[in-house]
């Protein structure tokens, strides 16, 4: 006897649901498989130590301090500069939106 289409669909749906549940369960299992990784893409612990020893973070911090001192010497605080820049960007964005709205209204009512 041949299998009905509805029976086949039910069977496929059950398999699909079981497979989905299995993948969700395996994600939280903690039984991770070891993955083969190309050695060129692995990080070397020695390289990490060299970066720390070079003091790149110290240099970055020193340059940030120098920049902040320059801005305070000019009389403006960095946050005030950022606020002015954001205000200008916001004003431009508002102007663009208004112009686009006007163009859309003109196109709707004129055409």
């Amino acid at each position: 006897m041949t299998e009905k289409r509805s029976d086949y669909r039910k069977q496929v749906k059950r398999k699909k649901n079981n497979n989905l549940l299995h993948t969700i369960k395996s994600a939280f299992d903690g039984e991770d498989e070891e993955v083969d990784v190309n050695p060129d893409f692995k990080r070397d612990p020695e390289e990490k130590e060299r970066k720390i020893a070079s003091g790149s973070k110290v240099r970055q911090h020193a340059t940030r301090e120098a920049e902040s001192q320059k801005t305070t010497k000019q009389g403006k605080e960095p946050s005030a500069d950022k606020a002015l820049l954001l205000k200008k960007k916001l004003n431009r964005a508002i102007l663009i939106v208004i112009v686009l709205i006007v163009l859309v209204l003109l196109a709707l009512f004129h055409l």
Side-chain angles (χ1 to χ4, degrees), residues 13-103:
K13 188 175 182 180
R14 266 189 248 121
K15 286 182 181 177
K16 195 180 218 182
N17 289 339
N18 286 341
N19 196 14
L20 178 68
L21 289 175
H22 176 68
T23 56
I24 292 172
K25 286 178 185 177
S26 65
F28 295 105
D29 252 353
E31 297 177 7
D32 296 331
E33 297 177 7
E34 194 67 30
V35 180
D36 256 350
V37 179
N38 187 348
D40 294 337
F41 293 112
K42 289 185 179 179
R43 292 188 178 140
D44 295 330
E46 296 170 4
E47 182 180 336
K48 189 176 180 181
E49 290 173 6
R50 277 186 265 141
K51 284 184 180 180
I52 293 173
S54 68
S56 60
K57 290 182 181 181
V58 174
R59 279 189 239 133
Q60 288 176 356
H61 184 66
T63 56
R64 286 184 193 148
E65 283 184 24
E67 288 176 7
S68 65
Q69 288 176 356
K70 286 179 185 177
T71 55
T72 54
K73 287 179 183 177
Q74 293 174 355
K76 293 183 180 178
E77 294 181 14
S79 61
D81 290 339
K82 288 180 183 178
L84 288 174
L85 182 66
L86 288 174
K87 283 182 184 178
K88 289 179 184 177
K89 286 184 179 181
L90 180 63
N91 287 339
R92 277 192 225 133
I94 291 171
L95 182 66
I96 290 171
V97 169
I98 290 173
V99 169
L100 290 175
I101 289 172
V102 168
L103 288 174

